[in-house]
Amino acid sequence: MSKYSGAHDVYKELVQDSEENWLYGLVAFAVVEEQRVEWMNHIKENTGQFPSHDEITEWYEQQPEGVILRAKGTAESALKTYSEEVVELINEDNVREIEEGIIVKEIQSLKRFWPQFGVNLAGGFVSTLVFAALLILFTFFVLYDSSPVDIGKQLFNSIED
């Protein structure tokens, strides 16, 4: 059972000599120190003055081993709660960015609608003209009832003349 004579002993056990994460140790150390500050404030309220250095050392010496375990448990709970809040905030930000990205893409696609509509309209008009020209050409051949053989003969005769 270790006895603590001051904050440096608690810090050494929770942060310096600990095999656990230093942040975890720092938060546990802060929990122990918060208890000390609350005790000091309680003494000031009852006596009108803060405890002396010797009284603070005595407070540390009176702390049982369980104070470290409770501080670690409180620190673990606090860090877990904090990490859950951070993850939730990050997820909310990611969802918001995705939603905003989708909305922006939809708005941008609406802005591109009219130029694309014009290109499609022009393409349709040109294809209609080409189709009409082919239809007129086909009609010309059908109405004059010219066979390819007759056309060939007429061309051959015109070359000979």
Side-chain angles (χ1 to χ4, degrees), residues 1 8 18 32 63-64 77 80 97 108 117 121-122 132 134 139 154:
M1 177 173 182
H8 60 279
S18 178
V32 172
Q63 297 304 307
S77 174
K80 182 179 179 184
E97 286 176 16
Q108 288 173 343
F117 179 74
L121 190 63
L134 289 175
T139 304
Q154 288 176 1

Side-chain angles (χ1 to χ4, degrees), residues 40 70 77-78 82 137 146:
M40 289 175 63
R70 283 190 304 275
S77 174
Y82 178 73
L137 188 62
S146 299

Side-chain angles (χ1 to χ4, degrees), residues 18-55:
S18 178
E19 295 178 8
E20 295 159 344
N21 187 294
W22 64 272
L23 181 62
Y24 174 63
L26 280 176
V27 174
F29 175 72
V31 169
V32 172
E33 287 303 296
E34 181 184 30
Q35 291 172 358
R36 179 186 57 85
V37 169
E38 287 176 1
W39 170 77
M40 289 175 63
N41 288 334
H42 175 72
I43 295 295
K44 175 141 181 12
E45 286 177 11
N46 291 329
T47 63
Q49 61 184 12
F50 283 110
S52 68
H53 178 68
D54 291 337
E55 290 173 322

Side-chain angles (χ1 to χ4, degrees), residues 56-159:
I56 294 172
T57 303
E58 185 180 317
W59 181 84
Y60 277 109
E61 289 173 352
Q62 290 177 357
Q63 297 304 307
E65 282 287 320
V67 74
I68 298 294
L69 293 175
R70 283 190 304 275
K72 285 182 176 182
T74 303
E76 183 177 354
S77 174
L79 288 172
K80 182 179 179 184
T81 302
Y82 178 73
S83 67
E84 289 170 354
E85 290 173 0
V86 168
V87 167
E88 185 177 319
L89 285 174
I90 290 172
N91 285 341
E92 287 175 6
D93 288 344
N94 287 340
V95 166
R96 192 175 311 115
E97 286 176 16
I98 290 169
E99 288 173 347
E100 289 173 359
I102 291 171
I103 291 170
V104 167
K105 285 181 184 177
E106 288 299 320
I107 290 171
Q108 288 173 343
S109 70
L110 288 177
K111 287 181 181 177
R112 287 181 274 167
F113 172 77
W114 290 110
Q116 188 63 39
F117 179 74
V119 168
N120 291 342
L121 190 63
F125 184 70
V126 169
S127 65
T128 302
L129 287 177
V130 170
F131 179 73
L134 289 175
L135 191 59
I136 290 170
L137 188 62
F138 182 73
T139 304
F140 176 75
F141 284 121
V142 169
L143 290 178
Y144 288 106
D145 195 28
S146 299
S147 68
V149 174
D150 291 339
I151 293 173
K153 284 180 186 178
Q154 288 176 1
L155 285 174
F156 187 70
N157 289 338
S158 66
I159 293 175

